[in-house]
């Protein structure tokens, strides 16, 4: 995917799993974009068309947030389609129906799996099956090893590294959403807010940091919903511990703000939104710098 941005940032690291953009002078602020990849590995063997696969694609989200890497934040962006393996799910969130043979340890399918949207997608869209036959255990283990684990390991390393260095870390998990939910979503048929911020009902980020981001969007004129219909997924759950100053927030951006949802191409709103996101990042970094100024770790 060619980036539309004029910013000359090149990834510091690039692998089949992810691209990582690093700032020159890092702050303890990490953005991650698990669904903006659209690579389709050759062993995918899906029944779904590319257009159907694109429906789950958080198109251009990495590019929209990329200027953050020039504002002191790190940005980790996935390469592979979430329809192949979903990095925003627990690695054992698998429906046994998807597998041929038995998984070597206990599976824990959640409500995502029952809606066909677990680690492995069962339906591309309502009624459109992803696969003709079940996947073998080896196939799924290879997807985990090649795409899932490297992404999670790198994200965890970044968060741990900044936490050690600064005594606190802020993580923003970046997504986009259809302007209306479909039958696989909990808000099917309802128009969505411009921006949905999720902090898992207060369990993944402080109220203070959440308010900074909510107010930053509100001041720009966006209507913002907190924790509905998206509270924050697995990525905001797994590395957060607000009591220990590890904060994770999810930001869902309504696709109608920046793209033609049917054609999957950016529209005239793209550039303005990208500029607005630089303002959001600036508000986040200002908050973090003021926090660090009063809470500097004694070495
Ligand atoms: Zn997403």
């Amino acid at each position: 995917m060619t980036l539309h941005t004029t910013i000359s940032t090149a990834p510091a690291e690039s692998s089949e799993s992810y691209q990582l953009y690093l700032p020159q002078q890092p702050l303890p602020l990490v953005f991650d974009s698990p669904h903006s990849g659209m690579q389709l590995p050759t062993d995918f063997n899906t029944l779904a068309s590319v257009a159907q696969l694109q429906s789950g694609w958080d198109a251009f989200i990495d590019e929209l947030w990329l200027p953050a890497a020039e504002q002191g934040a790190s940005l980790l962006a996935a390469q592979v389609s979430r329809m192949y393996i979903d990095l925003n799910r627990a690695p054992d969130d698998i429906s046994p129906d998807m597998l041929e043979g038995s998984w070597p340890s206990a599976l824990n399918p959640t409500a995502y799996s029952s809606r066909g949207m677990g680690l492995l997608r069962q339906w591309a869209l309502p009624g459109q099956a992803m696969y003709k036959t079940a996947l073998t255990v080896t196939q799924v283990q290879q997807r985990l090893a090649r795409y899932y684990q490297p992404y999670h390991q790198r994200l965890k390393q970044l968060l741990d590294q900044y936490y050690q260095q600064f005594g606190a870390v802020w993580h923003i998990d970046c997504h986009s959403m259809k302007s209306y939910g479909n039958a696989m979503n909990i808000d099917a048929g309802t128009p969505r807010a411009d921006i949905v911020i999720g902090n898992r009902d207060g369990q993944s980020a402080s109220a203070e940091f959440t308010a900074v981001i909510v107010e930053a969007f509100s001041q720009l004129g966006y209507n913002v919903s907190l924790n509905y219909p998206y509270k924050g997924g697995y990525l905001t759950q797994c590395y957060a511990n607000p009591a220990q100053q590890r904060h994770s927030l999810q930001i869902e951006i309504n696709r109608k703000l920046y793209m033609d949802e049917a054609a999957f191409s950016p529209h005239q709103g793209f550039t303005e939104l990208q500029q607005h996101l630089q303002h959001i990042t600036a508000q986040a970094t200002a908050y973090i710098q003021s926090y660090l100024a009063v809470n500097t770790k004694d070495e």
Side-chain angles (χ1 to χ4, degrees), residues 34-36 56-58 82 86 88 174-177 252 255:
H35 294 158
S36 54
W57 178 37
D58 290 351
R82 59 94 63 92
D86 195 333
N88 196 25
C174 306
H175 297 263
S176 70
M177 57 186 173
E252 294 271 359
R255 292 178 188 162

Side-chain angles (χ1 to χ4, degrees), residues 159-176:
L159 295 171
D160 287 350
Q161 175 195 329
Y162 293 140
Y163 185 73
Q164 282 195 343
Q165 194 179 344
F166 294 94
V169 70
W170 289 265
H171 163 223
I172 296 181
D173 182 44
C174 306
H175 297 263
S176 70

Side-chain angles (χ1 to χ4, degrees), residues 193-196 213-225 253-254 256-258 269-277 279-280:
D194 294 329
I195 305 291
V196 177
I213 303 300
V214 169
E215 280 162 27
F217 276 108
S218 300
Q219 280 164 9
L220 291 167
Y222 294 100
N223 67 68
V224 182
S225 169
I253 299 175
N254 193 318
K256 73 178 183 188
L257 296 173
Y258 69 94
F270 185 95
T271 305
E272 185 187 43
L273 176 62
Q274 193 181 45
Q275 285 163 359
H276 285 167
L277 297 181
H279 174 76
I280 303 298

Side-chain angles (χ1 to χ4, degrees), residues 61-136:
I61 281 294
D62 47 352
E63 180 181 347
L64 281 164
W65 285 106
L66 182 57
E70 296 200 342
Q71 297 173 268
S74 305
L75 171 68
L76 183 71
Q79 303 262 56
V80 78
S81 166
R82 59 94 63 92
M83 295 287 197
Y84 180 78
I85 187 163
D86 195 333
L87 309 180
N88 196 25
R89 298 291 183 264
D92 57 3
D93 190 349
I94 301 173
S95 164
D97 309 345
M98 303 271 318
L99 295 175
E100 178 193 315
S102 57
W103 196 249
S105 54
L107 292 174
N108 290 294
T110 69
Y112 289 124
S113 277
S114 43
R115 280 164 35 220
M117 303 169 65
L119 179 80
L120 305 163
R121 192 91 172 196
Q122 195 161 9
W123 311 98
L125 287 168
Q128 173 59 59
M130 287 288 289
Y131 302 102
K132 193 170 180 189
T133 57
L135 298 167
T136 67

Side-chain angles (χ1 to χ4, degrees), residues 227-295:
N227 290 316
Y228 184 82
Y230 295 105
K231 281 183 199 304
Y234 181 70
L235 278 157
T236 45
Q237 179 187 358
C238 52
Y239 305 114
N241 188 341
Q244 294 192 1
Q245 302 305 328
R246 289 172 170 267
H247 304 278
S248 288
L249 208 61
Q250 177 174 285
I251 300 180
E252 294 271 359
I253 299 175
N254 193 318
R255 292 178 188 162
K256 73 178 183 188
L257 296 173
Y258 69 94
M259 63 182 262
D260 177 328
E261 290 184 80
F264 279 87
S265 58
H267 64 45
Q268 73 287 349
F270 185 95
T271 305
E272 185 187 43
L273 176 62
Q274 193 181 45
Q275 285 163 359
H276 285 167
L277 297 181
Q278 292 175 61
H279 174 76
I280 303 298
T281 305
Q283 297 294 105
T285 59
Y287 169 78
I288 289 167
Q289 281 167 326
S290 68
Y291 175 91
L292 294 175
V294 275
N295 294 281

